[in-house]
Amino acid sequence: VQLEESGGGLVQPGGSLRLSCAASGFTFSRYDMSWYRQAPGQERELVATITSAGGTTNYADSVKGRFTISRDNAKNTVYLQMNSLKPEDTAVYYCKTARIWGTQYWGRGTQVTVSS
């Protein structure tokens, strides 16, 4: 199983970024996927989840109305569209699989920095 995040970078407050997570090594369309983030000195926190077919999504209160999780099962990719970014959104963002035969898999993360 491999997960590779991309799309991070430096953006000004109020700006937007779209993160991507390309998955391989498993049947992507069968599993729920999640985005997490970890800011310096803080615990990793759940940002958003999406069910296997994309019909249900859930968000942390801190990002509701600003972030949108989506997926393209034909491309084995999950996305996180981030709008109205704030400095407190600065973190390393990770994608994660649901348990596959008892194991959850993580990507290496992509850095998002929101600063003027």
Side-chain angles (χ1 to χ4, degrees):
V1 173
Q2 288 191 330
L3 301 172
E4 184 172 357
E5 300 94 341
S6 61
L10 173 63
V11 62
Q12 292 186 342
S16 298
L17 284 175
R18 188 176 84 151
L19 305 184
S20 300
C21 172
S24 61
F26 65 106
T27 307
F28 180 75
S29 61
R30 291 184 181 177
Y31 295 94
D32 299 354
M33 296 292 295
S34 301
W35 284 97
Y36 282 73
R37 68 185 181 186
Q38 188 168 21
Q42 297 188 22
E43 294 186 356
R44 195 170 295 190
E45 64 171 349
L46 177 63
V47 175
T49 63
I50 187 167
T51 52
S52 56
T56 301
T57 57
N58 286 289
Y59 298 91
D61 287 344
S62 58
V63 308
K64 279 181 182 176
R66 300 188 298 121
F67 290 12
T68 302
I69 188 171
S70 62
R71 65 191 295 162
D72 185 337
N73 284 346
K75 295 183 178 179
N76 288 356
T77 301
V78 61
Y79 304 97
L80 186 67
Q81 177 67 43
M82 306 186 295
N83 299 329
S84 302
L85 283 161
K86 305 175 181 180
E88 51 264 43
D89 295 317
T90 295
V92 178
Y93 284 72
Y94 301 88
C95 63
K96 185 184 75 68
T97 68
R99 292 189 182 276
I100 302 172
W101 295 104
T103 301
Q104 299 176 66
Y105 295 89
W106 295 85
R108 293 185 178 182
T110 185
Q111 176 70 47
V112 172
T113 302
V114 185
S115 176
S116 55

